[in-house]
Amino acid sequence: GAVVSQHPSRVICKSGTSVKIECRSLDFQATTMFWYRQFPKKSLMLMATSNEGSKATYEQGVEKDKFLINHASLTLSTLTVTSAHPEDSSFYICSARVGGEIASPLHFGNGTRLTVT
Amino acid sequence: GQNIDQPTEMTATEGAIVQINCTYQTSGFNGLFWYQQHAGEAPTFLSYNVLDGLEEKGRFSSFLSRSKGYSYLLLKELQMKDSASYLCAAIDSNYQLIWGAGTKLIIKP
């Protein structure tokens, strides 16, 4: 079945540094990928929609200069958390649909647990 | 505003049946997903409903009533591995996914 691979699974970084998270679709092409953030016991929050070959679409309240998204190929999207601060500590998850229809379920990567010290 | 409501936590016994409810208020509706999420892991797809009625998949079934803005996930013959959070997500008229906060299901022996 469709697999979305996300790396790294865990990362600890110091405040002020940047962290890059990769999301790959392993056996299908994903023109669109979605980046979510999840706080403990909270709902998934869509941060941005990553579009291959064009600029990402950010949700209201998400700083595009802080959360840089690059979707350079049909199988890879990256999220870079720039100048990370402790409040950026969270669980980041990417996802993609195999088919183009809205009824196609999202396949999620395994998530990245980011801790900023 | 758009909203998804589901219970925060439920407890059930191994081998029993449990029903997790979800009510939604969205601008338009294009279907509803149920996902399972184990602690520290990403969600995995369980079901999709867009028409009224019951969809059965093995031990898991999902029901939808569009007129009532209501869905439920039914889990039968509960196993310890079913301990997880169950997320309800509705698709609005803009084809955006609106996520519930999830129901944490605790299975006791």
Side-chain angles (χ1 to χ4, degrees):
Chain A
V3 177
V4 175
S5 174
Q6 187 172 341
H7 178 81
S9 58
R10 291 179 182 274
V11 59
I12 301 172
C13 70
K14 292 186 177 180
S15 186
T17 60
S18 295
V19 173
K20 180 185 282 190
I21 303 170
E22 292 187 348
C23 181
R24 295 179 184 274
S25 57
L26 295 185
D27 53 1
F28 67 100
Q29 294 181 330
T31 55
T32 302
M33 290 185 176
F34 305 91
W35 286 96
Y36 286 89
R37 183 174 181 178
Q38 188 176 34
F39 291 103
K41 299 182 180 180
K42 297 293 185 183
S43 177
L44 288 169
M45 183 190 82
L46 180 65
M47 298 175 66
T49 301
S50 172
N51 304 296
E52 188 269 334
S54 64
K55 292 182 179 181
T57 305
Y58 289 82
E59 296 300 304
Q60 191 174 7
V62 178
E63 299 175 60
K64 62 180 181 181
D65 293 330
K66 181 168 184 62
F67 298 99
L68 299 179
I69 291 173
N70 185 287
H71 196 150
S73 77
L74 287 171
T75 59
L76 175 64
S77 174
T78 61
L79 168 68
T80 301
V81 183
T82 62
S83 187
H85 288 98
E87 57 265 30
D88 298 325
S89 299
S90 189
F91 191 51
Y92 294 86
I93 316 173
C94 70
S95 67
R97 284 194 184 91
V98 175
E101 297 180 4
I102 193 63
S104 301
L106 286 175
H107 294 271
F108 288 87
N110 286 331
T112 297
R113 176 77 58 192
L114 171 63
T115 303
V116 184
T117 61
Chain B
Q2 307 201 95
N3 194 49
I4 303 281
D5 284 317
Q6 48 181 134
T8 304
E9 187 174 296
M10 298 182 71
T11 302
T13 305
E14 190 177 15
I17 299 173
V18 71
Q19 177 175 310
I20 302 173
N21 296 324
C22 169
T23 57
Y24 61 89
Q25 295 171 313
T26 56
S27 56
F29 179 76
N30 284 294
L32 186 140
F33 289 105
W34 281 97
Y35 282 82
Q36 180 190 62
Q37 185 178 22
H38 285 99
E41 299 180 8
T44 55
F45 170 76
L46 290 178
S47 66
Y48 172 74
N49 294 68
V50 68
L51 300 177
D52 285 354
L54 186 68
E55 298 271 349
E56 297 185 70
K57 274 187 185 181
R59 294 190 300 115
F60 291 9
S61 302
S62 56
F63 171 83
L64 176 68
S65 169
R66 294 178 66 135
S67 62
K68 295 182 179 178
Y70 167 70
S71 173
Y72 67 72
L73 181 69
L74 190 70
L75 292 75
K76 302 176 183 177
E77 300 170 18
L78 286 170
Q79 301 175 11
M80 298 303 293
K81 67 179 182 179
D82 297 330
S83 292
S85 286
Y86 291 86
L87 309 176
C88 170
I91 308 169
D92 70 10
S93 58
N94 293 321
Y95 301 101
Q96 300 297 311
L97 272 174
I98 312 300
W99 291 89
T103 298
K104 182 178 180 180
L105 178 63
I106 300 169
I107 310 295
K108 295 187 174 180

